[in-house]
Amino acid sequence: MHKLATILCVMSVSLTAQWPNHPTPGVPRTPDGKPNLSAPAPRSVDGKPDLSGVWLVRNGSFYLASNLRPEDMRPWAAALYKQREDNFRKDTDGIGCLPPGPKAGIGLGAFPMKIVQTSNLVVVLYEYQTIFRQIFTDGRGLPEDVNPTWMGYSVGHWDGDTLVVTTAGYNDRTTIDLAGHPHTEALRMTERFRRRDVGHLDVQVTFDDPKAYTKPWTLPFNFNLIPDGQLIEYVCENERDAPHLVGKSGEEFRVPAEVLAQYAGTYGTAVISLEGGRLMLDPGTGKMPLIAHSENSFTMEGTGVDFVKDSKGAVTAMIQHWTEGDRYLARTKDPSK
């Protein structure tokens, strides 16, 4: 098994099962007792939409900057990205179990987050690495002379029913996404939170780092409420595996086109396609190439991917080998049928 480490998600389960008979207070219910996720968004005592709850991103991925073109990056940033790409991201922040920095703003994959809203402060608790952010809504501005931190400094204000959050003061030791796009300490992230109804939270995230990129860009995200759910503790320990990781070396294994074509299809929410003689994986936020190591073993941006066949030779599943554990995705659609 070709096992390489990243920080992208393993499937996470909230602690709903720990308190099965303790529904979250204030969540509206249908006559049969189920959460009414389409009910109007709740409001706090000051009339603002209440963003509180446990949320899971629906369209999240750590490959969010993968559609950036080389001309969108400053030359040094493009060169560093290419170096990381060639080395399978073995030296990025997640390998050392470091905090994710601005990646927290894009949902952290399948790890939920919990928002706790008060009149002057919004706290965001992340299941991933059990970290947190404080968003001050008491009228203060960003600090003028900051000591750069992993998670930055955040302030927010209300624009109608939208909470606008500005975060700055990041150190430059993290990346914007798992693909390895760098940033500098000049990075400023702006998030716009709007709770559409009880069960849905829309967030727009804008990244602006003029020292690394030629223009800012904005990405949309949608979060679903996990009603009656809680977070569980998650501790990253994959730094112990870092010395065993390898980067790109040697020539890519050549797989016949007719063999590659067998793998095209849908696996869970991921789509595998064959384009120009290479397999591409699209998790819903952009296509990424798969690098072949054998006829059924590949690498996706530094993460091992194996295709599984049954006794008759039919492809039945894809396994992604995260350091945190394997993720099994059954094949749900075969385009040849």
Side-chain angles (χ1 to χ4, degrees):
M1 180 183 298
H2 190 70
K3 187 172 183 181
L4 298 172
T6 73
I7 59 169
L8 207 134
C9 60
V10 293
M11 291 306 295
S12 171
V13 180
S14 63
L15 276 182
T16 306
Q18 299 298 322
W19 290 285
N21 299 316
H22 191 78
T24 301
V27 175
R29 307 277 166 174
T30 58
D32 60 0
K34 295 181 179 179
N36 184 1
L37 302 180
S38 62
R43 292 186 177 268
S44 57
V45 293
D46 58 4
K48 302 296 184 185
D50 191 350
L51 308 181
S52 298
V54 178
W55 300 95
L56 183 66
V57 69
R58 192 178 69 208
N59 61 334
S61 169
F62 276 157
Y63 301 96
L64 299 171
S66 59
N67 60 341
L68 286 175
R69 301 168 299 176
E71 57 266 33
D72 296 331
M73 294 183 277
R74 304 295 181 189
W76 73 266
L80 179 56
Y81 170 74
K82 181 62 167 59
Q83 175 184 324
R84 288 169 173 167
E85 182 181 44
D86 289 344
N87 207 29
F88 287 157
R89 281 83 185 175
K90 63 171 293 186
D91 59 347
T92 51
D93 49 270
I95 301 305
C97 286
L98 299 173
K103 286 189 287 295
I106 61 179
L108 291 177
F111 291 96
M113 66 179 185
K114 183 175 185 177
I115 297 179
V116 181
Q117 181 176 324
T118 72
S119 58
N120 293 314
L121 178 69
V122 176
V123 176
V124 186
L125 307 174
Y126 296 96
E127 185 170 284
Y128 179 77
Q129 293 196 27
T130 318
I131 57 176
F132 68 92
R133 291 170 64 200
Q134 297 182 88
I135 302 170
F136 294 95
T137 57
D138 55 3
R140 74 180 69 186
L142 289 168
E144 295 182 2
D145 185 16
V146 301
N147 178 33
T149 63
W150 293 101
M151 302 300 293
Y153 303 83
S154 299
V155 296
H157 69 275
W158 289 94
D159 179 9
D161 285 346
T162 299
L163 177 64
V164 182
V165 178
T166 303
T167 305
Y170 291 108
N171 66 36
D172 59 4
R173 298 177 62 187
T174 62
T175 60
I176 288 178
D177 65 354
L178 185 61
H181 287 90
H183 67 84
T184 72
E185 293 182 355
L187 173 66
R188 179 169 292 213
M189 183 174 72
T190 303
E191 301 154 281
R192 298 180 65 87
F193 294 82
R194 184 179 71 88
R195 189 167 189 173
R196 196 183 337 144
D197 52 27
V198 165
H200 304 92
L201 179 68
D202 299 327
V203 183
Q204 286 189 334
V205 183
T206 299
F207 297 98
D208 188 4
D209 185 351
K211 292 185 177 181
Y213 301 93
T214 59
K215 62 181 182 181
W217 72 97
T218 300
L219 300 165
F221 300 94
N222 307 113
F223 291 77
N224 290 339
L225 183 72
I226 306 179
D228 307 331
Q230 295 295 335
L231 305 183
I232 63 175
E233 183 182 72
Y234 173 81
V235 177
C236 179
E237 296 182 291
N238 54 299
E239 80 284 353
R240 63 188 177 187
D241 296 323
H244 305 292
L245 303 181
V246 296
K248 183 179 294 184
S249 61
E251 292 294 325
E252 181 179 356
F253 188 86
R254 299 302 175 185
V255 183
E258 60 270 21
V259 175
L260 293 176
Q262 298 175 17
Y263 302 133
T266 301
Y267 302 78
T269 59
V271 176
I272 299 290
S273 59
L274 178 59
E275 302 179 15
R278 180 182 294 281
L279 290 181
M280 305 293 291
L281 185 148
D282 187 352
T285 54
K287 296 178 180 179
M288 298 165 285
L290 296 185
I291 308 300
H293 297 278
S294 71
E295 284 201 354
N296 72 321
S297 182
F298 299 79
T299 296
M300 172 192 67
E301 298 282 4
T303 297
V305 174
D306 286 342
F307 290 96
V308 179
K309 295 182 179 181
D310 62 17
S311 59
K312 297 181 179 180
V315 179
T316 59
M318 174 176 63
I319 299 177
Q320 298 175 359
H321 301 295
W322 310 117
T323 296
E324 297 89 343
D326 290 348
R327 185 178 180 189
Y328 181 93
L329 299 173
R331 191 178 197 180
T332 56
K333 184 177 180 180
D334 182 348
S336 66
K337 296 180 180 180

